[in-house]
Amino acid sequence: ELKVEQNPLFLSMQEGKNYTIYCNYSTTSDRLYWYRQDPGKSLESLFVLLSNGAVKQEGRLMASLDTKARLSTLHITAAVHDLSATYFCAPYTSGSRLTFGEGTQLTVNP
Amino acid sequence: DTAVSQTPKYLVTQMGNDKSIKCEQNLGHDTMYWYKQDSKKFLKIMFSYNNKELIINETVPNRFSPKSPDKAHLNLHINSLELGDSAVYFCASSGRTGYHEQYFGPGTRLTVT
């Protein structure tokens, strides 16, 4: 059974700072998704990482995938308050299955 | 245009009751899912249907029964509701082409009293 660990689970940071969220998973997966969830809202797809070494960037967020290390990272550059949300990683396994990490609750303080 | 819609958005009911949540997608996707998100935000897959055929059936109580009348709809019926069923239930869908990413509905917050 695929296990997914995110760390940290809670992250409080100041505006303008940089930080990285880590997503480790236990079995082989060649594809990984990152989602964002605002409080009381649904999940919104941020990134789809389709192969080893994939890197995607959108604004202040950059995601990468290392399938050999079974590791994905979500890097935040110069955080702003609007980035406050919970971020989930989800490796893909066969049968259209995504297994979600526990989520990283990010709070960006002025 | 709403891509994945769910009704109702909120559902408050008493223990022992039976309730249903409906989901519809207009994305033309073949695969639909039900997830449960608990109070700690942990998101767990419950069921998945591909073109009306059950393909994922996780270990959930058999009080939960999904039904897919067609590939655009996936409903969730819950019998004999228990306090522990209180959660947010999300429906999602994905297509066969592209990145296979899953698109989520707005969620149904179920509260069992």
Side-chain angles (χ1 to χ4, degrees):
Chain A
E1 181 186 335
L2 176 62
K3 294 204 184 306
V4 184
E5 289 185 359
Q6 285 183 234
N7 71 82
L9 298 183
F10 298 93
L11 176 56
S12 180
M13 56 191 296
Q14 284 188 309
E15 281 191 330
K17 298 293 186 183
N18 304 333
Y19 208 85
T20 299
I21 299 169
Y22 296 88
C23 171
N24 291 273
Y25 52 98
S26 61
T27 62
T28 301
S29 173
D30 61 1
R31 193 186 316 168
L32 187 138
Y33 302 78
W34 282 94
Y35 284 85
R36 168 181 171 145
Q37 185 178 33
D38 291 306
K41 302 291 186 184
S42 184
L43 283 84
E44 172 192 354
S45 178
L46 288 175
F47 298 108
V48 181
L49 302 168
L50 296 175
S51 61
N52 187 40
V55 177
K56 292 274 185 79
Q57 181 159 7
E58 179 77 33
R60 300 174 189 273
L61 300 177
M62 183 173 70
S64 67
L65 178 62
D66 181 341
T67 57
K68 293 179 182 173
R70 297 175 187 164
L71 171 67
S72 180
T73 62
L74 180 66
H75 186 73
I76 305 152
T77 302
V80 293
H81 180 69
D82 284 353
L83 291 179
S84 297
T86 299
Y87 293 86
F88 292 92
C89 66
Y92 174 90
T93 52
S94 61
S96 304
R97 183 188 297 267
L98 294 183
T99 302
F100 283 80
E102 309 103 308
T104 296
Q105 189 172 317
L106 171 66
T107 304
V108 181
N109 302 303
Chain B
D1 267 357
T2 303
V4 183
S5 59
Q6 292 178 230
T7 54
K9 191 167 172 62
Y10 301 97
L11 187 51
V12 181
T13 188
Q14 290 184 325
M15 285 175 54
N17 285 347
D18 303 339
K19 290 293 178 187
S20 292
I21 307 172
K22 295 187 175 182
C23 178
E24 176 180 2
Q25 55 95 3
N26 62 5
L27 297 168
H29 289 164
D30 290 314
T31 309
M32 296 183 72
Y33 311 81
W34 278 112
Y35 287 88
K36 178 180 180 180
Q37 186 172 46
D38 63 23
S39 58
K40 295 183 179 177
K41 297 198 175 182
F42 185 65
L43 199 65
K44 186 163 170 40
I45 182 115
M46 300 173 70
F47 303 103
S48 176
Y49 272 76
N50 180 265
N51 208 5
K52 301 195 294 175
E53 179 184 347
L54 184 65
I55 58 169
I56 297 175
N57 187 3
E58 289 295 288
T59 308
V60 299
N62 58 15
R63 299 180 294 102
F64 290 79
S65 54
K67 281 193 172 50
S68 182
D70 56 60
K71 72 175 193 177
H73 296 84
L74 180 61
N75 304 323
L76 183 65
H77 188 75
I78 316 168
N79 289 326
S80 303
L81 278 154
E82 300 177 358
L83 293 176
D85 298 331
S86 295
V88 181
Y89 292 84
F90 286 100
C91 176
S93 72
S94 65
R96 278 183 295 168
T97 58
Y99 299 138
H100 303 277
E101 63 195 294
Q102 295 183 15
Y103 294 83
F104 283 76
T108 296
R109 181 174 293 275
L110 171 65
T111 303
V112 182
T113 61

